[in-house]
Amino acid sequence: MFKTPVKKIQMKDKPTETRLPAFSLLAMVFLIALFFIFWTGGCATKAKQESSTHFLMDTMVQIDIYSKDPAASKESMQKAFARMQSIADRTDRYSNSPASDCFRINKAAGYSPVAVSPDTLFLTDYVLAKKRPEINLAVGPLVDLWAVNTRKLPPAPEAVQRAKMLVAVSLLSIDKKQNSVALQPAGALIDFGAVAKGYAIDQAAAVLAADKNITGALVNGGGNIKTIGSKSDGQPWRIGVQDPRDPQRLLGTLTLSPGEAVSTSGDYQRYFELNGQRYHHIISPASGYPSRENISVTIVAKDALTADYYSTLLFILPLADSFSLLRDTPQIQAVIVNKDGKAYISAGLKDKFTPDKKGGRQYVQK
């Protein structure tokens, strides 16, 4: 809380004949009251920081807010977490609850369309509209086959080919009039892992932005980050990007504008190693194997869903294709650590990304 220095003014007795006219006294009272309102208002509206952390969508989600009324804004934080939980419940493929649209779609695959929530319909339509085969919501059979969280050996090549064929012949469609999703054939499995978290973070951010007491906030869900407003100290949002091969070092620091989002996809989050080869969780539908093109991709965008989607897409794409896409998609910027170990920084991040060169990594400005 700041306070304006106030000098004490000692009032002196004055002769009655020098008394101010009534209207002047009223004006003085008004001015003093106006000063008091602005002075106390400045103190009362100084934002204070509050933080809360929940385990959601298989990761720790932290929300930091700067609010003029932190006690009142705690309810907004709770609503933001609840909004994320509702999306997590709808898109949870491993739940057998009727609340999970994903579970019901997979169960009905090859048989009938399934009426779904607006969130699930929106996400399905979002991915289908992009028409990128590298982001295939029906990649579930390959994700299950690799199961990098528990597997210590790669699956047999024949098993990969069988799963890949199931993914390749899968047909996912939506009916907006019926609010339904249909998946073909039987045995196909839908998986929202490439987009659900980013979308949930955007929705949580929208809840916080609607609270007029909140002047700034940051939602961080395991590398998917969205900013709202500004920090109370006037400093820009700065996000450290982890070096994908050294958890004790940063690849660099990103400076984000109010409302920007960032997402990182990497082969260091969920993986196992065998004979010097790393097998991670980001599967290429075309090959049926974990993508080998890059080891880390960080995307900066205006919303977390866009950042989430493109960080996965560019992780799978070859470097030349990634920079071709970046030229055609100016609303996103990227930091890509390619399989050669070099960090490639897109032109739009020239003044926003500060490399940490202590680690000896080579940085290339594109």
Side-chain angles (χ1 to χ4, degrees), residues 207-274:
V207 172
L208 299 173
D211 186 332
K212 301 305 180 184
N213 289 312
I214 294 177
T215 59
L218 186 143
V219 185
N220 182 358
N224 295 70
I225 295 171
K226 170 74 174 176
T227 66
I228 304 103
S230 303
K231 296 174 67 176
S232 61
D233 60 5
Q235 294 297 312
W237 301 102
R238 290 190 175 90
I239 308 297
V241 181
Q242 182 182 325
D243 188 296
R245 288 296 179 265
D246 188 346
Q248 303 305 315
R249 290 188 179 278
L250 290 179
L251 187 65
T253 304
L254 274 168
T255 300
L256 300 182
S257 302
E260 281 190 318
V262 60
S263 176
T264 297
S265 295
D267 69 357
Y268 57 92
Q269 296 166 325
R270 284 178 281 167
Y271 68 93
F272 67 89
E273 290 186 345
L274 181 67

Side-chain angles (χ1 to χ4, degrees), residues 9-10 21 37 46 95 102 106 115 135 153 172-173 181 185 224 247 256 260 272 295 297 323 340 342 358:
I9 301 175
Q10 189 173 16
I37 290 171
K46 184 173 176 61
S95 168
C102 195
N106 290 338
I135 307 295
L153 293 172
L172 182 64
S173 62
V181 175
N224 295 70
L256 300 182
E260 281 190 318
F272 67 89
I295 61 177
V297 173
F323 278 100
D340 61 10
K342 296 178 183 177
K358 294 180 181 178

Side-chain angles (χ1 to χ4, degrees), residues 5-136:
V6 178
K7 294 182 179 179
K8 292 184 179 180
I9 301 175
Q10 189 173 16
M11 300 299 294
K12 297 181 179 180
D13 292 334
K14 293 186 178 181
T16 55
E17 62 268 25
T18 60
R19 187 176 299 163
L20 293 173
F23 75 90
S24 296
L25 286 173
L26 289 174
M28 183 178 294
V29 170
F30 174 77
L31 289 173
I32 292 173
L34 191 63
F35 171 79
F36 180 80
I37 290 171
F38 278 108
W39 181 67
T40 57
C43 293
T45 57
K46 184 173 176 61
K48 296 182 179 179
Q49 185 177 1
E50 289 285 339
S51 299
S52 184
T53 303
H54 291 195
F55 187 79
L56 282 170
M57 308 184 86
D58 202 32
T59 192
M60 297 303 298
V61 178
Q62 180 171 321
I63 294 179
D64 299 302
I65 65 168
Y66 296 92
S67 175
K68 294 176 287 186
D69 190 348
S73 294
K74 283 185 178 179
E75 183 178 352
S76 294
M77 293 178 73
Q78 293 171 355
K79 289 179 178 179
F81 279 119
R83 182 72 180 100
M84 290 190 71
Q85 184 65 65
S86 69
I87 296 167
D89 292 341
R90 295 293 188 184
T91 58
D92 186 354
R93 186 161 71 84
Y94 301 101
S95 168
N96 58 3
S97 167
S100 172
D101 291 335
C102 195
F103 167 74
R104 293 187 298 109
I105 293 168
N106 290 338
K107 188 176 181 180
Y111 297 100
S112 63
V114 173
V116 298
S117 66
D119 291 325
T120 302
L121 193 71
F122 172 82
L123 280 174
T124 307
D125 185 43
Y126 177 90
V127 175
L128 290 178
K130 297 290 186 184
K131 297 181 179 180
R132 296 292 315 207
E134 299 88 354
I135 307 295
N136 183 351

Side-chain angles (χ1 to χ4, degrees), residues 137-159:
L137 289 178
V139 74
L142 284 169
V143 173
D144 284 356
L145 181 66
W146 280 95
V148 296
N149 287 340
T150 57
R151 180 181 284 278
K152 299 302 179 185
L153 293 172
E158 297 81 5

